[in-house]
Amino acid sequence: MLSTPVGRVRLAGLVEGVSALVLFFAAMPLKYLPAPGSDLAAVGKQAVFWVGSVHGGLFVLYALITFVAWGRGALTARLVGYAAAASIVPFGPFVLDGVLKRHERDAAERADGDRTAR
């Protein structure tokens, strides 16, 4: 997966997607569901801070990796737009992974076809 630019985008998207799910479905409920001022709410506040910080860094890394892949010609502008949209929708990176996997497979098949045509 790490051997191609699209594979790196896929991996970064999956890691970013998992961090978003941890933030949305673990840290945030821990902060907002307990009674305000309780010890559990205080733990939740810290969890949101740290998980949110990590998620933010992973989001920036995902964007950078995506733009590098686009700059190298491995992604189309449309796929970059899809990646941007997927990064703000829960479960979006997991849906996009299938699209990117097909794109990567089709690009490899075209490259193989070009080599055999010579």
Side-chain angles (χ1 to χ4, degrees):
M1 187 178 264
L2 289 175
S3 62
T4 66
V6 176
R8 288 187 284 274
V9 171
R10 290 179 56 214
L11 180 62
L14 294 175
V15 171
E16 189 270 341
V18 168
S19 75
L21 294 179
V22 171
L23 179 63
F24 297 151
F25 297 110
M28 290 178 74
L30 192 60
K31 178 180 179 181
Y32 293 110
L33 291 181
S38 70
D39 290 341
L40 196 52
V43 169
K45 185 176 180 180
Q46 287 295 310
V48 167
F49 174 79
W50 289 108
V51 173
S53 296
V54 169
H55 171 68
L58 291 170
F59 176 83
V60 170
L61 186 63
Y62 176 55
L64 288 172
I65 290 170
T66 301
F67 283 121
V68 167
W70 180 45
R72 292 185 177 177
L75 292 178
T76 64
R78 176 175 282 190
L79 287 173
V80 172
Y82 288 164
S87 70
I88 59 173
V89 176
F91 303 101
F94 306 108
V95 173
L96 180 66
D97 184 64
V99 173
L100 292 176
K101 189 174 185 177
R102 279 191 302 279
H103 172 75
E104 190 173 31
R105 184 189 62 232
D106 293 347
E109 288 173 0
R110 282 192 302 274
D112 287 343
D114 290 346
R115 275 185 242 145
T116 58
R118 292 181 189 172

